[in-house]
Amino acid sequence: MAFDFHIVTDYYRSFSLVQADLRAGTITCRQLVDGYLARIEENRHLNVFTEVYAEEARQRADDLDRRWAANEPVGRLAGMVIGLKDVLSHAGHGLQAGSHMLDGFVAQFTATAVQRLLDEDAIVIGRQNCDEFAMGSSNETSAFGPVRNAADPTRVPGGSSGGSAVAVQAGLCLASIGSDTGGSVRQPAAFCGVTGLKPTYGRISRWGLIAYASSFDCVGPIAHTPADCALLLEIMAGPDEFDSTVSNRPVEAYSAATQMASAPRRIAYLRDGVESPGVDASIREATQRTIDALRAAGHTVEPVSLSLLDSLLPTYYILTTAEASSNLSRFDGVRYGHRTAEATDLIELYKKSRTEGFGSEVRRRILLGTFALSASYYDAYYTKAQQVRRLIREETERLFAEYDFLLSPTTPSPAFKLGEKTGRNPDDDPLQMYLADIFTVQANVVGYPAISIPNGATPEGLPIGLQLMASPFAEASLVAIAQEITDL
Amino acid sequence: MKVDKETLQKIAHLARLEVRPEEEAELLNSLNGVLNWMEQLNEVDTTGVEPLMHISPDLNVLRDDAVANHLPRAQALANAPQHDETFFQVPKVME
């Protein structure tokens, strides 16, 4: 019987289905990989991949099929075909964070999170487009051009992990690994109708993740289901001698947690998320419907307000631009990255290499961060934001002393049109783009875990996301409630 | 206006970036817009609040300081725009 490659998108929306069929012998890893490669070819116009590893993926699949046939042991992710956001180091493969700054760069080592997936026999099918250095909410700052949303190719996929979200949405791989600094996994997941998980800060090693803002950055999976995100988290999480901020707490069986019936929970929801006129009406209605369904299922769901809601984004942008200006100083045209052809002395070499290599949003954020850290303004901006960050964390801690989860829409609007908020025209206001992250940044500001799951669609058919945030290291109960809501 | 042309050029120098004269107007506009928006934080009373420096509860998770060859020299030099067998190379900095 001829293998219909559309099965990879139309049917395999959870890894347990893939594994069951692999065990039953009704499909092979090679057929899966060929199916995804065919889908990738069909969907070139979505601009998801910056590089496809077709031959390598086929070889790994053949090797897995051989081991399967010979009854040799295989890893827990055998048959899982994944993509990597172009910010994760994968030895011997290109890596350039959606930037011309790193044209031709080849990774010399493998990120800890990626290595753990490879060790469990995941197949990496390629690296995926993203906003330049993960700075953006629409994937339009990428030097490779924007990714297009498969639900409507005239619309953005969200960002910065836009390629990762569309890859899962369009069935170009089963899951993808992104990074989330202010919503970069959850916001595109919401725009594309898939599931995205940002773990607790420090749950997954950042070794091998290109740094944007180190006290915010998290590696996070995107997949169709909370269960698949839980499995990927379980494998990537845990201690690592190369990251001094990673947690040594034991890694729980997150994937098993999604199969347990959850006890009645105390859930807070952001009043603004269902009442504010700034939130799209169909998103407010969808959120309200989920709240009603959760109550009907026996959970306690109560409205709350955050007094510091308006301070979240300014705090986030002061601190992340400051950290970015420091982190991106490493791109100096000396050890790696773009070097200008014009410089005659060292200072000029730095300046011209950086100015030529970075795109406009990255340069804007470096300038903002440099300003916030400059001697005359350090206390007024940087220290002030660090103080407000503590107040936000204290308010969040008080909230989570009373509730298990905080629920809200993931985004205030569905996917917007390409070019609508680029900030590239002199009249554009970059703030319009920044506001897309209003509900997602809190989790990064306080370091808590959060997940975005699909929550229906707008009348135009655009996906809507629902976000749940939990206490630090409560990922097991977070993925369990997310799976329960998915199954409601 | 927080940032004028002179401040912009000073920040650009500190950031090792060049701002061309034709970019100045747009950058001044967007930087000042964002900075004004950031000043909402001045409405929050932070008297006596200790700045939050570290977000991880597990700070400085250290390992033994054992000698290991993590990145061989040839690999460390592999992505350099200009290098010899041993060193990264840059334009002459002294006469």
Side-chain angles (χ1 to χ4, degrees):
Chain A
M1 189 184 75
F3 181 77
D4 176 6
F5 65 75
H6 286 99
I7 193 172
V8 298
T9 47
D10 297 342
Y11 178 65
Y12 291 130
R13 289 174 161 261
S14 95
F15 186 50
S16 60
L17 290 176
V18 176
Q19 281 205 313
D21 283 2
L22 281 168
R23 283 205 197 89
T26 53
I27 51 156
T28 63
C29 290
R30 176 59 186 263
Q31 284 174 319
L32 275 175
V33 165
D34 284 338
Y36 287 120
L37 289 171
R39 291 287 298 164
I40 290 168
E41 275 310 310
E42 272 191 341
N43 288 280
R44 286 275 174 199
H45 63 286
L46 298 176
N47 199 24
V48 167
F49 283 83
T50 52
E51 203 175 341
V52 178
Y53 311 137
E55 270 321 296
E56 185 184 349
R58 287 194 182 105
Q59 278 170 21
R60 277 184 70 92
D62 287 343
D63 179 56
L64 273 167
D65 288 332
R66 184 194 55 74
R67 282 157 59 196
W68 218 297
N71 275 323
E72 289 174 27
V74 293
R76 295 176 69 195
L77 295 180
M80 173 80 91
V81 178
I82 62 167
L84 300 176
K85 182 181 183 180
D86 190 15
V87 291
L88 286 158
S89 201
H90 182 196
H93 297 76
L95 175 66
Q96 58 189 110
S99 180
H100 285 312
M101 176 56 86
L102 288 171
D103 281 344
F105 185 92
V106 176
Q108 300 299 314
F109 60 89
T110 299
T112 300
V114 175
Q115 189 59 54
R116 288 179 182 169
L117 300 174
L118 293 172
D119 290 346
E120 291 293 345
D121 286 326
I123 296 173
V124 177
I125 201 158
R127 63 186 164 108
Q128 293 162 340
N129 204 346
C130 59
D131 278 297
E132 186 176 9
F133 285 99
M135 296 180 193
S137 307
S138 68
N139 219 113
E140 289 166 291
T141 72
S142 169
F144 295 98
V147 175
R148 290 170 183 277
N149 194 313
D152 176 354
T154 68
R155 291 179 186 269
V156 303
S160 64
S161 311
S164 297
V166 176
V168 176
Q169 174 193 30
L172 314 184
C173 52
L174 188 66
S176 177
I177 310 304
S179 63
D180 190 315
T181 304
S184 281
V185 157
R186 291 160 287 151
Q187 185 254 21
F191 278 10
C192 296
V194 295
T195 299
L197 173 63
K198 183 208 95 75
T200 308
Y201 181 82
R203 181 69 293 187
I204 297 177
S205 166
R206 288 181 293 112
W207 170 252
L209 169 68
I210 292 183
Y212 161 17
S214 303
S215 77
F216 293 77
D217 293 343
C218 288
V219 173
I222 294 177
H224 287 290
T225 64
D228 284 358
C229 285
L231 176 63
L232 290 163
L233 171 67
E234 187 176 320
I235 287 165
M236 292 189 287
D240 176 23
E241 64 176 23
F242 294 116
D243 180 355
S244 66
T245 60
V246 80
S247 173
N248 281 329
R249 278 178 179 238
V251 175
E252 294 171 66
Y254 304 119
S255 54
T258 57
Q259 289 158 30
M260 288 176 209
S262 77
R265 297 289 190 174
R266 293 184 54 77
I267 303 169
Y269 71 90
L270 271 188
R271 197 188 294 273
D272 291 281
V274 289
E275 288 178 13
S276 168
V279 178
D280 182 272
S282 57
I283 292 179
R284 279 185 272 145
E285 287 159 20
T287 308
Q288 186 62 54
R289 274 198 300 276
T290 304
I291 290 168
D292 296 341
L294 280 164
R295 283 183 179 139
H299 300 287
T300 302
V301 192
E302 294 172 348
V304 295
S305 296
L306 282 177
S307 69
L308 290 166
L309 186 69
D310 291 339
S311 300
L312 286 171
L313 280 166
T315 299
Y316 169 79
Y317 273 98
I318 291 171
L319 296 175
T320 55
T321 56
E323 293 186 26
S325 76
S326 171
N327 271 326
L328 271 63
S329 66
R330 72 191 60 177
F331 298 101
D332 55 7
V334 174
R335 292 154 299 162
Y336 42 76
H338 173 74
R339 176 181 290 193
T340 183
E342 291 179 33
T344 53
D345 65 41
L346 196 55
I347 292 287
E348 207 184 0
L349 177 122
Y350 294 148
K351 287 187 177 178
K352 286 196 186 303
S353 298
R354 289 165 60 77
T355 303
E356 292 166 8
F358 290 133
S360 60
E361 180 63 19
V362 172
R363 275 183 285 146
R364 175 169 30 231
R365 292 199 194 186
I366 290 173
L367 289 169
L368 278 167
T370 305
F371 179 84
L373 289 175
S374 63
S376 321
Y377 294 96
Y378 186 92
D379 284 339
Y381 287 87
Y382 188 65
T383 304
K384 180 80 184 180
Q386 287 183 314
Q387 290 174 311
V388 177
R389 190 179 195 184
R390 181 176 297 280
L391 293 176
I392 293 168
R393 190 168 78 171
E394 287 172 354
E395 186 176 12
T396 308
E397 282 167 356
R398 286 194 295 275
L399 181 72
F400 278 88
E402 287 184 55
Y403 296 97
D404 300 307
F405 305 107
L406 176 61
L407 179 153
S408 69
T410 309
T411 60
S413 79
F416 41 89
K417 294 269 189 187
L418 284 158
E420 196 179 316
K421 302 178 180 181
T422 52
R424 278 199 194 124
N425 307 310
D427 300 334
D428 281 353
D429 180 359
L431 292 176
Q432 287 308 311
M433 185 74 84
Y434 296 175
L435 292 173
D437 296 329
I438 179 72
F439 296 126
T440 51
V441 288
Q442 184 184 7
N444 303 82
V445 169
V446 300
Y448 283 31
I451 192 167
S452 176
I453 56 175
N455 194 29
T458 67
E460 307 102 294
L462 300 172
I464 294 172
L466 181 85
Q467 176 178 258
L468 288 140
M469 197 170 128
S471 295
F473 301 101
E475 280 89 347
S477 57
L478 180 64
V479 292
I481 189 93
Q483 189 65 54
E484 184 187 331
I485 296 173
T486 303
D487 299 338
L488 273 179
Chain B
M1 195 155 75
K2 303 282 166 299
V3 182
D4 55 18
K5 280 187 186 182
E6 192 189 338
T7 316
L8 176 61
Q9 290 297 343
K10 191 180 145 203
I11 305 166
H13 172 70
L14 290 171
R16 298 296 184 264
L17 288 169
E18 287 182 347
V19 173
R20 292 187 298 276
E22 65 269 25
E23 295 175 307
E24 280 182 343
E26 189 275 328
L27 270 174
L28 286 174
N29 189 30
S30 68
L31 292 181
N32 282 308
V34 174
L35 289 168
N36 282 334
W37 169 76
M38 286 173 168
E39 285 182 8
Q40 289 175 66
L41 293 193
N42 290 335
E43 290 160 24
V44 181
D45 183 4
T46 52
T47 313
V49 176
E50 193 65 23
L52 181 60
M53 306 275 198
H54 302 288
I55 203 69
S56 172
D58 307 77
L59 195 62
N60 289 329
V61 181
L62 302 176
R63 60 181 150 87
D64 290 338
D65 187 17
V67 176
N69 196 5
H70 289 305
L71 193 63
R73 182 191 285 156
Q75 273 182 272
L77 291 168
N79 283 299
Q82 196 186 345
H83 64 89
D84 61 15
E85 293 295 303
T86 319
F87 296 107
F88 299 106
Q89 294 178 318
V90 294
K92 200 156 108 175
V93 288
M94 285 178 286
E95 288 303 322

PDB file of all heavy atoms in Angstrom, chain A residues 437-466:
ATOM      1  N   ASP A 437       2.636  41.333  23.884  1.00  0.00           N
ATOM      2  CA  ASP A 437       3.165  40.443  24.930  1.00  0.00           C
ATOM      3  C   ASP A 437       2.593  40.743  26.319  1.00  0.00           C
ATOM      4  O   ASP A 437       3.105  40.234  27.316  1.00  0.00           O
ATOM      5  CB  ASP A 437       4.690  40.554  24.983  1.00  0.00           C
ATOM      6  CG  ASP A 437       5.355  40.074  23.701  1.00  0.00           C
ATOM      7  OD1 ASP A 437       4.800  39.166  23.055  1.00  0.00           O
ATOM      8  OD2 ASP A 437       6.421  40.603  23.354  1.00  0.00           O
ATOM      9  N   ILE A 438       1.526  41.547  26.389  1.00  0.00           N
ATOM     10  CA  ILE A 438       1.027  42.026  27.690  1.00  0.00           C
ATOM     11  C   ILE A 438       0.722  40.890  28.673  1.00  0.00           C
ATOM     12  O   ILE A 438       1.031  40.993  29.858  1.00  0.00           O
ATOM     13  CB  ILE A 438      -0.211  42.954  27.515  1.00  0.00           C
ATOM     14  CG1 ILE A 438      -0.759  43.444  28.857  1.00  0.00           C
ATOM     15  CG2 ILE A 438      -1.325  42.300  26.715  1.00  0.00           C
ATOM     16  CD1 ILE A 438       0.080  44.452  29.552  1.00  0.00           C
ATOM     17  N   PHE A 439       0.134  39.790  28.203  1.00  0.00           N
ATOM     18  CA  PHE A 439      -0.233  38.708  29.127  1.00  0.00           C
ATOM     19  C   PHE A 439       0.891  37.691  29.339  1.00  0.00           C
ATOM     20  O   PHE A 439       0.865  36.925  30.288  1.00  0.00           O
ATOM     21  CB  PHE A 439      -1.489  37.980  28.634  1.00  0.00           C
ATOM     22  CG  PHE A 439      -2.710  38.853  28.614  1.00  0.00           C
ATOM     23  CD1 PHE A 439      -3.462  38.991  27.463  1.00  0.00           C
ATOM     24  CD2 PHE A 439      -3.107  39.539  29.757  1.00  0.00           C
ATOM     25  CE1 PHE A 439      -4.593  39.802  27.443  1.00  0.00           C
ATOM     26  CE2 PHE A 439      -4.239  40.355  29.752  1.00  0.00           C
ATOM     27  CZ  PHE A 439      -4.980  40.494  28.584  1.00  0.00           C
ATOM     28  N   THR A 440       1.847  37.647  28.423  1.00  0.00           N
ATOM     29  CA  THR A 440       2.884  36.603  28.527  1.00  0.00           C
ATOM     30  C   THR A 440       4.101  37.033  29.346  1.00  0.00           C
ATOM     31  O   THR A 440       4.774  36.183  29.917  1.00  0.00           O
ATOM     32  CB  THR A 440       3.358  36.145  27.128  1.00  0.00           C
ATOM     33  OG1 THR A 440       3.709  37.296  26.353  1.00  0.00           O
ATOM     34  CG2 THR A 440       2.295  35.332  26.423  1.00  0.00           C
ATOM     35  N   VAL A 441       4.398  38.339  29.412  1.00  0.00           N
ATOM     36  CA  VAL A 441       5.671  38.744  30.042  1.00  0.00           C
ATOM     37  C   VAL A 441       5.742  38.475  31.536  1.00  0.00           C
ATOM     38  O   VAL A 441       6.825  38.260  32.075  1.00  0.00           O
ATOM     39  CB  VAL A 441       6.033  40.234  29.832  1.00  0.00           C
ATOM     40  CG1 VAL A 441       6.439  40.492  28.415  1.00  0.00           C
ATOM     41  CG2 VAL A 441       4.944  41.140  30.291  1.00  0.00           C
ATOM     42  N   GLN A 442       4.584  38.468  32.210  1.00  0.00           N
ATOM     43  CA  GLN A 442       4.631  38.306  33.667  1.00  0.00           C
ATOM     44  C   GLN A 442       5.406  37.039  34.070  1.00  0.00           C
ATOM     45  O   GLN A 442       6.226  37.071  34.987  1.00  0.00           O
ATOM     46  CB  GLN A 442       3.216  38.250  34.249  1.00  0.00           C
ATOM     47  CG  GLN A 442       3.211  38.181  35.776  1.00  0.00           C
ATOM     48  CD  GLN A 442       1.807  38.032  36.362  1.00  0.00           C
ATOM     49  OE1 GLN A 442       0.827  37.858  35.621  1.00  0.00           O
ATOM     50  NE2 GLN A 442       1.704  38.112  37.668  1.00  0.00           N
ATOM     51  N   ALA A 443       5.143  35.946  33.355  1.00  0.00           N
ATOM     52  CA  ALA A 443       5.810  34.678  33.706  1.00  0.00           C
ATOM     53  C   ALA A 443       7.331  34.821  33.617  1.00  0.00           C
ATOM     54  O   ALA A 443       8.067  34.229  34.416  1.00  0.00           O
ATOM     55  CB  ALA A 443       5.323  33.557  32.793  1.00  0.00           C
ATOM     56  N   ASN A 444       7.819  35.601  32.651  1.00  0.00           N
ATOM     57  CA  ASN A 444       9.265  35.774  32.518  1.00  0.00           C
ATOM     58  C   ASN A 444       9.814  36.760  33.547  1.00  0.00           C
ATOM     59  O   ASN A 444      10.911  36.575  34.069  1.00  0.00           O
ATOM     60  CB  ASN A 444       9.614  36.272  31.113  1.00  0.00           C
ATOM     61  CG  ASN A 444       9.106  35.340  30.036  1.00  0.00           C
ATOM     62  OD1 ASN A 444       7.938  35.399  29.668  1.00  0.00           O
ATOM     63  ND2 ASN A 444       9.962  34.461  29.543  1.00  0.00           N
ATOM     64  N   VAL A 445       9.024  37.807  33.850  1.00  0.00           N
ATOM     65  CA  VAL A 445       9.474  38.797  34.822  1.00  0.00           C
ATOM     66  C   VAL A 445       9.661  38.128  36.190  1.00  0.00           C
ATOM     67  O   VAL A 445      10.581  38.450  36.927  1.00  0.00           O
ATOM     68  CB  VAL A 445       8.479  39.975  34.893  1.00  0.00           C
ATOM     69  CG1 VAL A 445       8.777  40.890  36.085  1.00  0.00           C
ATOM     70  CG2 VAL A 445       8.534  40.794  33.601  1.00  0.00           C
ATOM     71  N   VAL A 446       8.790  37.160  36.526  1.00  0.00           N
ATOM     72  CA  VAL A 446       8.872  36.518  37.838  1.00  0.00           C
ATOM     73  C   VAL A 446       9.515  35.130  37.785  1.00  0.00           C
ATOM     74  O   VAL A 446       9.774  34.523  38.824  1.00  0.00           O
ATOM     75  CB  VAL A 446       7.479  36.420  38.508  1.00  0.00           C
ATOM     76  CG1 VAL A 446       6.899  37.817  38.701  1.00  0.00           C
ATOM     77  CG2 VAL A 446       6.512  35.554  37.710  1.00  0.00           C
ATOM     78  N   GLY A 447       9.769  34.604  36.588  1.00  0.00           N
ATOM     79  CA  GLY A 447      10.447  33.309  36.455  1.00  0.00           C
ATOM     80  C   GLY A 447       9.539  32.109  36.628  1.00  0.00           C
ATOM     81  O   GLY A 447      10.021  30.998  36.858  1.00  0.00           O
ATOM     82  N   TYR A 448       8.209  32.297  36.540  1.00  0.00           N
ATOM     83  CA  TYR A 448       7.254  31.208  36.758  1.00  0.00           C
ATOM     84  C   TYR A 448       6.995  30.434  35.449  1.00  0.00           C
ATOM     85  O   TYR A 448       7.177  30.990  34.367  1.00  0.00           O
ATOM     86  CB  TYR A 448       5.914  31.768  37.256  1.00  0.00           C
ATOM     87  CG  TYR A 448       5.877  32.168  38.720  1.00  0.00           C
ATOM     88  CD1 TYR A 448       7.019  32.635  39.372  1.00  0.00           C
ATOM     89  CD2 TYR A 448       4.686  32.096  39.448  1.00  0.00           C
ATOM     90  CE1 TYR A 448       6.970  33.018  40.701  1.00  0.00           C
ATOM     91  CE2 TYR A 448       4.640  32.484  40.794  1.00  0.00           C
ATOM     92  CZ  TYR A 448       5.776  32.946  41.413  1.00  0.00           C
ATOM     93  OH  TYR A 448       5.725  33.324  42.736  1.00  0.00           O
ATOM     94  N   PRO A 449       6.506  29.191  35.543  1.00  0.00           N
ATOM     95  CA  PRO A 449       6.157  28.450  34.328  1.00  0.00           C
ATOM     96  C   PRO A 449       4.776  28.851  33.809  1.00  0.00           C
ATOM     97  O   PRO A 449       3.919  29.259  34.592  1.00  0.00           O
ATOM     98  CB  PRO A 449       6.131  26.993  34.799  1.00  0.00           C
ATOM     99  CG  PRO A 449       5.740  27.068  36.235  1.00  0.00           C
ATOM    100  CD  PRO A 449       6.322  28.364  36.761  1.00  0.00           C
ATOM    101  N   ALA A 450       4.587  28.750  32.499  1.00  0.00           N
ATOM    102  CA  ALA A 450       3.286  29.068  31.890  1.00  0.00           C
ATOM    103  C   ALA A 450       3.145  28.292  30.594  1.00  0.00           C
ATOM    104  O   ALA A 450       4.136  27.956  29.947  1.00  0.00           O
ATOM    105  CB  ALA A 450       3.160  30.567  31.635  1.00  0.00           C
ATOM    106  N   ILE A 451       1.894  28.011  30.248  1.00  0.00           N
ATOM    107  CA  ILE A 451       1.634  27.232  29.037  1.00  0.00           C
ATOM    108  C   ILE A 451       0.521  27.925  28.243  1.00  0.00           C
ATOM    109  O   ILE A 451      -0.378  28.532  28.827  1.00  0.00           O
ATOM    110  CB  ILE A 451       1.235  25.783  29.403  1.00  0.00           C
ATOM    111  CG1 ILE A 451       1.239  24.864  28.170  1.00  0.00           C
ATOM    112  CG2 ILE A 451      -0.117  25.718  30.112  1.00  0.00           C
ATOM    113  CD1 ILE A 451       1.174  23.371  28.527  1.00  0.00           C
ATOM    114  N   SER A 452       0.615  27.876  26.923  1.00  0.00           N
ATOM    115  CA  SER A 452      -0.478  28.350  26.076  1.00  0.00           C
ATOM    116  C   SER A 452      -1.063  27.157  25.341  1.00  0.00           C
ATOM    117  O   SER A 452      -0.325  26.361  24.741  1.00  0.00           O
ATOM    118  CB  SER A 452       0.026  29.382  25.059  1.00  0.00           C
ATOM    119  OG  SER A 452      -1.043  29.757  24.182  1.00  0.00           O
ATOM    120  N   ILE A 453      -2.400  27.027  25.414  1.00  0.00           N
ATOM    121  CA  ILE A 453      -3.076  25.927  24.711  1.00  0.00           C
ATOM    122  C   ILE A 453      -4.133  26.513  23.776  1.00  0.00           C
ATOM    123  O   ILE A 453      -4.631  27.620  24.011  1.00  0.00           O
ATOM    124  CB  ILE A 453      -3.736  24.928  25.698  1.00  0.00           C
ATOM    125  CG1 ILE A 453      -4.704  25.659  26.640  1.00  0.00           C
ATOM    126  CG2 ILE A 453      -2.670  24.183  26.485  1.00  0.00           C
ATOM    127  CD1 ILE A 453      -5.473  24.722  27.565  1.00  0.00           C
ATOM    128  N   PRO A 454      -4.473  25.780  22.710  1.00  0.00           N
ATOM    129  CA  PRO A 454      -5.495  26.275  21.785  1.00  0.00           C
ATOM    130  C   PRO A 454      -6.837  26.435  22.499  1.00  0.00           C
ATOM    131  O   PRO A 454      -7.197  25.633  23.358  1.00  0.00           O
ATOM    132  CB  PRO A 454      -5.579  25.169  20.730  1.00  0.00           C
ATOM    133  CG  PRO A 454      -4.296  24.417  20.833  1.00  0.00           C
ATOM    134  CD  PRO A 454      -3.915  24.488  22.291  1.00  0.00           C
ATOM    135  N   ASN A 455      -7.561  27.490  22.139  1.00  0.00           N
ATOM    136  CA  ASN A 455      -8.849  27.754  22.789  1.00  0.00           C
ATOM    137  C   ASN A 455      -9.853  28.237  21.742  1.00  0.00           C
ATOM    138  O   ASN A 455     -10.453  29.297  21.876  1.00  0.00           O
ATOM    139  CB  ASN A 455      -8.650  28.789  23.903  1.00  0.00           C
ATOM    140  CG  ASN A 455      -9.849  28.874  24.837  1.00  0.00           C
ATOM    141  OD1 ASN A 455     -10.566  27.883  25.027  1.00  0.00           O
ATOM    142  ND2 ASN A 455     -10.072  30.038  25.418  1.00  0.00           N
ATOM    143  N   GLY A 456      -9.997  27.472  20.676  1.00  0.00           N
ATOM    144  CA  GLY A 456     -10.963  27.827  19.648  1.00  0.00           C
ATOM    145  C   GLY A 456     -10.407  28.819  18.648  1.00  0.00           C
ATOM    146  O   GLY A 456      -9.190  29.019  18.563  1.00  0.00           O
ATOM    147  N   ALA A 457     -11.315  29.450  17.910  1.00  0.00           N
ATOM    148  CA  ALA A 457     -10.905  30.362  16.859  1.00  0.00           C
ATOM    149  C   ALA A 457     -11.862  31.547  16.783  1.00  0.00           C
ATOM    150  O   ALA A 457     -12.996  31.488  17.276  1.00  0.00           O
ATOM    151  CB  ALA A 457     -10.871  29.638  15.517  1.00  0.00           C
ATOM    152  N   THR A 458     -11.393  32.628  16.174  1.00  0.00           N
ATOM    153  CA  THR A 458     -12.238  33.800  15.944  1.00  0.00           C
ATOM    154  C   THR A 458     -13.201  33.482  14.800  1.00  0.00           C
ATOM    155  O   THR A 458     -13.021  32.492  14.092  1.00  0.00           O
ATOM    156  CB  THR A 458     -11.383  35.014  15.540  1.00  0.00           C
ATOM    157  OG1 THR A 458     -10.808  34.749  14.260  1.00  0.00           O
ATOM    158  CG2 THR A 458     -10.276  35.275  16.549  1.00  0.00           C
ATOM    159  N   PRO A 459     -14.220  34.339  14.586  1.00  0.00           N
ATOM    160  CA  PRO A 459     -15.140  34.095  13.457  1.00  0.00           C
ATOM    161  C   PRO A 459     -14.404  33.997  12.121  1.00  0.00           C
ATOM    162  O   PRO A 459     -14.858  33.294  11.213  1.00  0.00           O
ATOM    163  CB  PRO A 459     -16.065  35.321  13.502  1.00  0.00           C
ATOM    164  CG  PRO A 459     -16.047  35.760  14.925  1.00  0.00           C
ATOM    165  CD  PRO A 459     -14.667  35.457  15.427  1.00  0.00           C
ATOM    166  N   GLU A 460     -13.242  34.678  11.972  1.00  0.00           N
ATOM    167  CA  GLU A 460     -12.476  34.572  10.715  1.00  0.00           C
ATOM    168  C   GLU A 460     -11.637  33.307  10.658  1.00  0.00           C
ATOM    169  O   GLU A 460     -10.914  33.075   9.685  1.00  0.00           O
ATOM    170  CB  GLU A 460     -11.529  35.759  10.528  1.00  0.00           C
ATOM    171  CG  GLU A 460     -12.146  37.119  10.629  1.00  0.00           C
ATOM    172  CD  GLU A 460     -11.844  37.755  11.981  1.00  0.00           C
ATOM    173  OE1 GLU A 460     -12.335  37.221  13.005  1.00  0.00           O
ATOM    174  OE2 GLU A 460     -11.132  38.762  12.019  1.00  0.00           O
ATOM    175  N   GLY A 461     -11.690  32.489  11.728  1.00  0.00           N
ATOM    176  CA  GLY A 461     -10.928  31.238  11.722  1.00  0.00           C
ATOM    177  C   GLY A 461      -9.506  31.378  12.226  1.00  0.00           C
ATOM    178  O   GLY A 461      -8.668  30.495  11.998  1.00  0.00           O
ATOM    179  N   LEU A 462      -9.208  32.465  12.918  1.00  0.00           N
ATOM    180  CA  LEU A 462      -7.856  32.634  13.466  1.00  0.00           C
ATOM    181  C   LEU A 462      -7.777  32.008  14.855  1.00  0.00           C
ATOM    182  O   LEU A 462      -8.667  32.218  15.682  1.00  0.00           O
ATOM    183  CB  LEU A 462      -7.501  34.119  13.539  1.00  0.00           C
ATOM    184  CG  LEU A 462      -7.507  34.847  12.197  1.00  0.00           C
ATOM    185  CD1 LEU A 462      -7.334  36.341  12.397  1.00  0.00           C
ATOM    186  CD2 LEU A 462      -6.410  34.288  11.282  1.00  0.00           C
ATOM    187  N   PRO A 463      -6.712  31.245  15.108  1.00  0.00           N
ATOM    188  CA  PRO A 463      -6.597  30.551  16.397  1.00  0.00           C
ATOM    189  C   PRO A 463      -6.544  31.510  17.588  1.00  0.00           C
ATOM    190  O   PRO A 463      -6.028  32.623  17.488  1.00  0.00           O
ATOM    191  CB  PRO A 463      -5.267  29.797  16.266  1.00  0.00           C
ATOM    192  CG  PRO A 463      -5.032  29.660  14.796  1.00  0.00           C
ATOM    193  CD  PRO A 463      -5.613  30.901  14.191  1.00  0.00           C
ATOM    194  N   ILE A 464      -7.089  31.040  18.703  1.00  0.00           N
ATOM    195  CA  ILE A 464      -7.066  31.766  19.975  1.00  0.00           C
ATOM    196  C   ILE A 464      -6.297  30.915  20.982  1.00  0.00           C
ATOM    197  O   ILE A 464      -6.431  29.693  20.990  1.00  0.00           O
ATOM    198  CB  ILE A 464      -8.510  31.996  20.489  1.00  0.00           C
ATOM    199  CG1 ILE A 464      -9.266  32.930  19.548  1.00  0.00           C
ATOM    200  CG2 ILE A 464      -8.505  32.546  21.912  1.00  0.00           C
ATOM    201  CD1 ILE A 464     -10.758  33.052  19.872  1.00  0.00           C
ATOM    202  N   GLY A 465      -5.503  31.566  21.817  1.00  0.00           N
ATOM    203  CA  GLY A 465      -4.741  30.838  22.835  1.00  0.00           C
ATOM    204  C   GLY A 465      -5.221  31.158  24.237  1.00  0.00           C
ATOM    205  O   GLY A 465      -5.693  32.266  24.510  1.00  0.00           O
ATOM    206  N   LEU A 466      -5.112  30.173  25.115  1.00  0.00           N
ATOM    207  CA  LEU A 466      -5.422  30.351  26.533  1.00  0.00           C
ATOM    208  C   LEU A 466      -4.144  30.086  27.314  1.00  0.00           C
ATOM    209  O   LEU A 466      -3.456  29.091  27.078  1.00  0.00           O
ATOM    210  CB  LEU A 466      -6.487  29.346  26.971  1.00  0.00           C
ATOM    211  CG  LEU A 466      -6.899  29.462  28.440  1.00  0.00           C
ATOM    212  CD1 LEU A 466      -7.974  30.527  28.598  1.00  0.00           C
ATOM    213  CD2 LEU A 466      -7.399  28.135  28.975  1.00  0.00           C
TER     214      LEU A 466
END
